[in-house]
Amino acid sequence: MAVVRTHRYTVVTGKLAQLLEQRTRLIRGLRSANPAFTAATLIRQEDGSYLDIWRWESAEARRGAVAEALGFPLAAVTAALTTDHTVVDGEVLVER
C-alpha cells in the first residue's frame, strides 16, 4: 500500500528559487537511489506556507529513503531554507 510523507513549512524570505532548485536535485538523487519513491507534489497554501507531499510504494521504501536522506548532505542544506518545518507520515487509503 502506498504511503506519503507530508512536510509543511515556510520558506526563508528570498530563498524560494534556491529551494526549488535544491529540492529538484534532492528528489532526483533520492529517486535514482530508490525507485519506489514515486511522486513529489509541492503546494503553496493561501497562507504562504507550503505542503510538500512525497509518495512511496510502501512504508519500508519510505523508511529506507528517510535513512538514506540522513546521510545525503543536500537534504540538510535544502531543509535549512525552510522554517516552521513539520513532518507527518500517512498511508493512502482511497484514491479516485
Side-chain angles (χ1 to χ4, degrees):
M1 183 168 302
V3 297
V4 296
R5 173 164 277 205
T6 303
H7 302 260
R8 184 171 199 271
Y9 53 80
T10 56
V11 177
V12 173
T13 302
K15 298 294 183 178
L16 180 59
Q18 185 179 356
L19 174 88
L20 293 174
E21 178 185 321
Q22 288 181 192
R23 179 182 175 274
T24 297
R25 290 188 344 203
L26 176 61
I27 289 168
R28 221 179 276 140
L30 291 174
R31 191 171 279 147
S32 70
N34 189 339
F37 176 37
T38 60
T41 304
L42 183 62
I43 302 163
R44 183 181 1 234
Q45 305 272 82
E46 286 182 346
D47 67 359
S49 67
Y50 293 82
L51 288 180
D52 203 349
I53 304 168
W54 295 24
R55 182 184 175 121
W56 285 268
E57 292 174 1
S58 69
E60 294 78 21
R62 184 195 67 228
R63 283 191 291 272
V66 169
E68 289 171 9
L70 294 175
F72 205 72
L74 190 55
V77 171
T78 303
L81 299 172
T82 69
T83 60
D84 305 319
H85 196 146
T86 60
V87 176
V88 177
D89 293 329
E91 182 177 39
V92 177
L93 295 180
V94 177
E95 285 187 306
R96 296 203 160 100

